[in-house]
Amino acid sequence: MITSLAQIVKHIKGRTPRRLAVACGEDPHTIEAVGRAVAEGLVQAVLTGNRSKIESVARDNKIDPASFEIVDEPDPGKALARAVARIKAGESDFLMKGLIDSSLYIKAIIDKEKGLLAPGKLLSHVSVIQVPSRRKLIVCADAAVIPYPDLEAKVQILNYCLAVARKLGIDRPKAAIICAVEKVNPKMVPTTDAAILSKMADRGQIKDADVDGPLALDVALSAESAEIKGVRSPIAGEADVLLFPSIETGNVFFKACSYLAGGETAAVVAGTDCPCVLTSRSDSEDSKFYSIALGALIS
């Protein structure tokens, strides 16, 4: 089982590098992360964007621009379209966002004619988080795409998270459906959704996973908290996957791990024809590098 982001890198080293298409790859952290991924043999990269800016930023950060292919396209929208087209043509294995707004990136991915989202699929954001206080990785969703997922959306999002957890070597992931309380309350829709998801897993509608909810975050991550509260759950303290009830809860958890808990993060958009790396423009080079590694692992 992979228990750290560094182990993802170690796991994929030595195999055939995946082909990465970067849209608008003009910012320093993206170029640093891509250059590092190329140097460590994880990917072969093609950056679409303003050639002069890409080359200048690369040299400023002591990265050889010749280490990746550059497709010169100064217009950001056209650069994004050309990167997506590489995926559609089978010329690249996965996609990464550079210096372009996330809403434009997602819009290109879900375009019905030229995008990467298959009919009937839901676009979602899956994060893998490493914090010093835990001995294993946390897979969670959704922190960036779906504001208030309904039950049907939660089923798809949960399955995306479970698929990523299995790529990390967890044969039977433990998933906690996070709510504010542990008791089902008909006036709190997330608790009823959580109970249904748990029962669906019991009956095999969600396969090869232990799913329980509603669970508060402390119970999902701390067996001691579960004992003190008198909550009996096969997930207590051992959650591999956290499914959040809204984008606010997921986003706050994601950023709290990064900025308060000393965490490292990796993130991709799931539900697409290939992994699509989606990080914030302000994310660190390490976060973008680990996101590339995650994309390479699951592509």
Side-chain angles (χ1 to χ4, degrees):
M1 182 173 72
I2 295 172
T3 58
S4 71
L5 295 175
Q7 285 182 15
I8 295 177
V9 177
K10 184 177 179 180
H11 182 76
I12 61 177
K13 269 188 175 182
R15 73 180 193 182
T16 302
R18 294 296 191 262
R19 300 168 299 170
L20 171 64
V22 184
C24 305
E26 298 158 15
D27 64 293
H29 284 168
T30 295
I31 289 176
E32 288 171 342
V34 173
R36 181 176 166 190
V38 170
E40 296 201 25
L42 308 186
V43 299
Q44 296 173 340
V46 177
L47 278 62
T48 62
N50 187 307
R51 178 186 293 275
S52 62
K53 288 183 180 179
I54 292 171
E55 291 178 340
S56 175
V57 171
R59 284 191 289 266
D60 288 345
N61 288 276
K62 298 179 173 58
I63 296 167
D64 183 1
S67 63
F68 36 72
E69 181 183 344
I70 300 173
V71 175
D72 187 29
E73 179 48 77
D75 182 89
K78 291 179 181 179
L80 173 58
R82 292 182 72 168
V84 172
R86 290 188 62 87
I87 304 293
K88 296 288 285 185
E91 297 171 352
S92 294
D93 298 312
F94 69 113
L95 185 69
M96 180 178 185
K97 180 178 84 72
L99 192 62
I100 191 166
D101 188 86
S102 293
S103 63
L104 296 176
Y105 183 70
I106 290 173
K107 184 178 180 180
I109 290 171
I110 64 175
D111 184 279
K112 291 183 179 180
E113 294 183 2
K114 299 179 181 179
L116 303 173
L117 188 66
K121 288 286 190 176
L122 177 76
L123 193 73
S124 184
H125 180 269
V126 177
S127 308
V128 178
I129 302 175
Q130 174 185 322
V131 292
S133 60
R134 289 191 69 75
R135 67 183 188 280
K136 60 182 179 179
L137 295 169
I138 302 168
V139 181
C140 62
D142 182 317
V145 176
I146 308 297
Y148 299 102
D150 59 15
L151 178 61
E152 184 178 359
K154 288 175 182 177
V155 172
Q156 289 198 54
I157 296 169
L158 177 57
N159 279 318
Y160 296 157
C161 289
L162 295 174
V164 171
R166 293 185 188 107
K167 286 287 187 178
L168 298 174
I170 306 169
D171 293 333
R172 190 176 180 86
K174 296 181 181 294
I177 314 303
I178 300 301
C179 296
V181 296
E182 291 83 24
K183 293 182 179 180
V184 176
N185 182 342
K187 294 182 179 180
M188 299 173 70
V189 173
T191 68
T192 58
D193 285 351
I196 293 169
L197 290 167
S198 179
K199 182 54 68 176
M200 288 175 71
D202 289 343
R203 295 186 175 181
Q205 291 173 269
I206 297 170
K207 299 183 182 301
D208 301 320
D210 296 316
V211 180
D212 197 20
L215 292 177
L217 184 64
D218 55 348
V219 171
L221 300 180
S222 168
E224 181 181 9
S225 292
E227 184 177 355
I228 291 170
K229 287 184 168 184
V231 177
R232 294 182 180 180
S233 170
I235 309 301
E238 296 294 332
D240 302 299
V241 170
L242 305 178
L243 180 66
F244 291 105
S246 69
I247 198 171
E248 287 89 357
T249 49
N251 192 275
V252 169
F253 177 82
F254 180 90
K255 290 179 179 176
C257 286
S258 300
Y259 290 97
L260 297 178
E264 296 282 0
T265 62
V268 296
V269 170
T272 46
D273 296 337
C274 70
C276 299
V277 175
L278 175 59
T279 56
S280 170
R281 285 167 288 179
S282 64
D283 279 347
S284 69
E285 180 242 322
D286 279 345
S287 176
K288 295 189 177 188
F289 171 71
Y290 287 131
S291 295
I292 293 170
L294 178 64
L297 174 71
I298 63 180
S299 69

